[in-house]
């Protein structure tokens, strides 16, 4: 098994490409070791000292390290953990655990606008940020403001504010006049 790695715009996050499907659909975000027990792979990765967060896409794993840790020190252990997992035959997600589709549900008068926002995010934004090892999902829409949740390499990335304001906000405002601003939300 050969696992490729790619840098991301976030210097604290590295993208691992195992050359196999990680998740059939959706994504899985583990911003801390709490909750990782639903995934044998995430549990194994969090077993490497210095790991702060883990994120799964369809064909990649992104790992965010603690600031005090150097990639040269933990990258071999992470490659080993990912390889050991795939050689073990265990599933990525165990039992009833499943990947998330991403977007929050929205009930209310703005349903048509929210549908357009989600469609633009799915067709234009999410594929681009997946290339960088992350995901951006719809969290809410209120009085012209779109709230987005940033995951994986996008969470805590130094260029994420620029991506939100100059990229996503401009895109949404261009196609959907009701959108006036885009803001990130924490979990």
């Amino acid at each position: 098994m050969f696992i490729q790695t790619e840098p991301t715009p976030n210097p604290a996050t590295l993208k691992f490409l195992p050359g196999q499907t990680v998740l059939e659909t959706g994504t899985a975000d583990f911003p801390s070791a709490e909750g990782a027990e639903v995934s044998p792979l995430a549990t194994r990765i969090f077993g490497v000292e210095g790991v702060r967060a883990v994120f799964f896409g369809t064909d990649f794993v992104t790992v965010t390290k603690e600031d005090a840790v150097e990639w040269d020190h933990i990258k071999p252990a992470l490659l080993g953990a990912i390889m050991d997992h795939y050689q073990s035959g265990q599933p990525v997600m165990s039992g009833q655990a499943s990947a998330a589709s991403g977007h929050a549900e929205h009930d209310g008068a703005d349903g048509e606008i929210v549908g357009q926002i989600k469609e633009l995010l799915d067709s234009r934004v999410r594929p681009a940020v997946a290339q960088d090892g992350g995901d951006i999902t719809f969290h809410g829409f209120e009085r012209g403001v779109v709230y987005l949740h940033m995951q994986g390499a996008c969470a805590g990335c130094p260029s994420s504010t620029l991506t939100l304001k100059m990229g996503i906000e401009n895109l949404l405002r261009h196609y959907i006049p009701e959108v006036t601003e885009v803001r990130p939300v924490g979990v």
Side-chain angles (χ1 to χ4, degrees):
M1 175 177 205
F2 180 71
I3 302 170
Q4 294 180 320
T5 59
E6 292 180 359
T8 71
N10 184 347
T13 303
L14 195 60
K15 183 176 177 181
F16 294 82
L17 299 150
Q20 320 187 9
T21 300
V22 177
L23 293 176
E24 292 291 332
T25 60
T27 60
D29 190 25
F30 303 96
S32 70
E34 284 182 28
E37 66 276 355
V38 300
S39 168
L41 177 55
T43 300
R44 206 178 287 251
I45 293 170
F46 275 113
V48 175
E49 192 171 332
V51 172
R52 186 175 60 202
V54 177
F55 179 80
F56 300 150
T58 54
D59 65 348
F60 66 89
V61 174
T62 55
V63 177
T64 303
K65 67 175 184 66
E66 297 290 342
D67 292 336
V69 177
E70 296 295 326
W71 279 118
D72 291 344
H73 296 132
I74 66 168
K75 185 176 171 183
L78 291 169
L79 289 166
I82 294 168
M83 190 173 300
D84 289 348
H85 171 78
Y86 279 100
Q87 290 175 344
S88 76
Q90 288 184 297
V92 172
M93 304 296 281
S94 61
Q96 302 291 8
S98 63
S101 64
H103 301 304
E105 294 298 319
H106 178 84
D107 296 328
D110 298 321
E112 187 176 321
I113 294 168
V114 168
Q116 292 172 357
I117 292 167
K118 289 180 180 180
E119 171 60 33
L120 280 170
L121 290 173
D122 288 343
S123 64
R124 303 273 184 107
V125 177
R126 292 178 83 188
V129 296
Q131 291 294 317
D132 287 337
D135 198 10
I136 296 178
T137 57
F138 174 82
H139 184 78
F141 179 70
E142 187 177 326
R143 291 189 217 128
V145 179
V146 177
Y147 296 93
L148 299 177
H149 181 213
M150 304 179 81
Q151 301 172 310
C154 296
C157 177
S159 61
S160 65
T161 302
L162 185 64
T163 299
L164 274 180
K165 290 296 179 185
M166 300 307 291
I168 300 169
E169 184 175 289
N170 286 344
L171 174 78
L172 292 177
R173 288 174 64 193
H174 176 77
Y175 287 103
I176 307 168
E178 292 86 354
V179 172
T180 59
E181 186 181 356
V182 172
R183 294 183 192 163
V185 294
V187 172

